[in-house]
Amino acid sequence: MYSAGILGIGSYAPDKILTNADLERIVETSDEWISTRTGIKERRIVAQDQATSDLAVEAARKALAQAGVSGAEIDLIIVATISPDMLFPATACLVQDALEANNAAAFDLSAGCSGFVYALVTGAQFVASGLYEKVLIIGADALSRLTDWEDRRTCVLFGDGASAAVIGRVPEGYGLLASVLGADGSGGETLMLPAGGSRRPASLETVQAREHFIKMEGREVFKFAVRIMQEATLQVVEKAGLSLDEIDLFVPHQANVRIIEASLSRMGVPSERVFLNVDKYGNTSSASIGLALDEACQEGKVTDGANLALVGFGAGLTWGGAVLRWYAGGNRSDD
Ligand code: UT7
């Protein structure tokens, strides 16, 4: 088995900013409610002509540039998304075409907000086994396209964005040290998009019932999230043979600061070792953890040999945790 790690990382968020004050003009809400209940101040929204694959390609180009790898060198592209451009073909195939990654296999993965971790762990297996040398993983979502802008319980939470990483061989002792992936399908109905698939195909009735929009039982998801953030963090850190104190930076799914406080803070993790950017982007779903990790790198918070714990939860219900020892060598260019 080879050691597999991140050779380059990149992220992208669309230019348009939607603030809490803007939302006050759309639904009955307030900056005060959104800030205190979620920690979100603003989020990014795709332009009219942008879809998930466009966000994915922007993030991927940055990750490839940082890794010093061309599209043609990529063996596999995995796009984690729950808002694909269309049901099929896979968004990963659209990305493959745009990047001229002509030697790459491509598929999508649906794991909600655990998507980035699921893709990272899946991609790393191909590198670890020796089957592939370079895997491009992407978490990308444009949930504003699937949001019910009349539902204040959900429309204030989500934002659009993408993050990407090139996974390849790294020296022994670096890279992915441990992972946990899990699912509890019995909780699937607490966070779903009911219509538009083979169970409830699009019809006038489904559109009139607003079933093509995200439905969420927020409190149920909140309880699940707090419990699973704690369990998955403890499990994956222990699996890596480390203690919580030995993790230099925690990069949790950016859904809600209250979830992070109720889980990581209660476990005794000091806030200086938890990266947060949910205030600027809201919950970007599959993109969230990679977007946070990329910003942490840009802010100089991730140095060679740092132990990182990435933990996410989301629709499915799913959860995923990964402990990485950061590798800052190779062809990496920080331009
Ligand atoms: O990545 C996974 C995706 N999902 C999540 O991470 C979501 C997890 N859940 C949460 O983060 C929280 O449950 C929410 C932020 C969604 C909601 O916070 P909460 O503290 O659980 O609020 P609640 O749903 O219990 O609602 C409290 C009140 C309700 O009013 P009443 O019934 O007490 O009169 C809601 O109608 O707040 C009301 N409310 C709002 N008020 C102003 C709900 N949304 C809003 C809003 N603005 N946007």
Side-chain angles (χ1 to χ4, degrees), residues 168-183:
R169 292 179 196 168
V170 293
E172 213 181 318
Y174 283 98
L176 185 65
L177 303 185
S179 62
V180 291
L181 298 179

Side-chain angles (χ1 to χ4, degrees), residues 62-83:
K62 293 183 190 173
L64 289 168
Q66 197 188 67
V69 167
S70 71
E73 289 175 80
I74 295 294
D75 302 305
L76 170 66
I77 299 173
I78 305 173
V79 174
T81 186
I82 52 168
S83 52

Side-chain angles (χ1 to χ4, degrees), residues 27-30 33-34 37-38 113 151-154 156-158 191 216-223 225 253-256 258-259 283 285 313-315:
V27 285
E28 197 182 325
T29 190
S30 65
W33 192 96
I34 302 170
R37 300 280 177 140
T38 70
C113 308
D151 179 7
R152 69 175 183 174
R153 293 166 303 163
T154 53
V156 303
L157 303 174
F158 302 107
L191 179 48
M216 184 175 70
E217 293 169 31
R219 278 187 203 182
E220 290 308 309
V221 178
F222 190 96
K223 282 189 268 175
H253 168 43
Q254 309 284 313
N256 183 328
R258 279 165 57 223
I259 292 173
N283 179 348
S285 186
F313 57 87

Side-chain angles (χ1 to χ4, degrees), residues 29-324:
T29 190
S30 65
D31 173 43
E32 202 265 333
W33 192 96
I34 302 170
S35 301
T36 53
R37 300 280 177 140
T38 70
I40 301 167
K41 288 283 181 193
E42 58 188 44
R43 67 287 293 143
R44 303 296 185 91
I45 304 291
V46 283
Q48 273 306 322
D49 61 352
Q50 271 180 324
T52 295
S53 67
D54 301 312
L55 311 184
V57 167
E58 296 284 345
R61 287 196 202 286
K62 293 183 190 173
L64 289 168
Q66 197 188 67
V69 167
S70 71
E73 289 175 80
I74 295 294
D75 302 305
L76 170 66
I77 299 173
I78 305 173
V79 174
T81 186
I82 52 168
S83 52
D85 286 26
M86 53 203 98
L87 277 177
F88 68 89
T91 299
C93 292
L94 307 177
V95 171
Q96 186 236 21
D97 182 40
L99 296 177
E100 297 181 4
N102 301 327
N103 302 307
F107 67 87
D108 285 0
L109 178 162
S110 171
C113 308
S114 314
F116 188 84
V117 176
Y118 259 70
L120 173 70
V121 173
T122 305
Q125 306 314 306
F126 287 94
V127 174
S129 68
L131 186 62
Y132 293 139
E133 282 198 17
K134 303 265 182 334
V135 176
L136 173 64
I137 62 133
I138 302 171
D141 270 312
L143 290 192
S144 67
R145 296 287 205 206
L146 310 177
T147 296
D148 185 346
W149 292 100
E150 293 181 10
D151 179 7
R152 69 175 183 174
R153 293 166 303 163
T154 53
C155 76
V156 303
L157 303 174
F158 302 107
D160 301 334
S163 56
V166 177
I167 303 176
R169 292 179 196 168
V170 293
E172 213 181 318
Y174 283 98
L176 185 65
L177 303 185
S179 62
V180 291
L181 298 179
D184 176 8
S186 71
E189 290 188 357
T190 57
L191 179 48
M192 68 191 301
L193 197 148
S198 59
R199 176 73 59 192
R200 286 185 66 67
S203 68
L204 185 58
E205 188 196 344
T206 61
V207 172
Q208 283 172 339
R210 307 184 77 75
E211 289 178 351
H212 299 269
F213 295 128
I214 297 165
K215 309 283 178 216
M216 184 175 70
E217 293 169 31
R219 278 187 203 182
E220 290 308 309
V221 178
F222 190 96
K223 282 189 268 175
F224 158 74
V226 171
R227 175 175 61 79
I228 214 66
M229 280 287 288
Q230 294 190 341
E231 286 177 15
T233 302
L234 288 173
Q235 271 175 23
V236 76
V237 171
E238 189 187 337
K239 234 175 153 179
L242 299 171
S243 68
L244 290 179
D245 289 344
E246 289 172 295
I247 299 296
D248 299 294
L249 193 66
F250 291 82
V251 186
H253 168 43
Q254 309 284 313
N256 183 328
V257 284
R258 279 165 57 223
I259 292 173
I260 294 167
E261 276 163 13
S263 51
L264 293 181
S265 308
R266 269 193 218 157
M267 284 159 61
V269 174
S271 57
E272 313 84 77
R273 288 198 278 127
V274 181
F275 190 81
L276 287 179
N277 65 1
V278 67
D279 56 326
K280 288 189 290 180
Y281 300 105
N283 179 348
T284 57
S285 186
S286 309
S288 145
I289 291 179
L291 183 57
L293 179 57
D294 186 35
E295 282 209 345
C297 290
Q298 286 174 32
E299 291 178 18
K301 294 191 168 152
V302 182
T303 49
D304 190 68
N307 293 324
L308 311 174
L310 319 182
V311 184
F313 57 87
L317 298 167
T318 60
W319 59 93
V323 170
L324 285 173

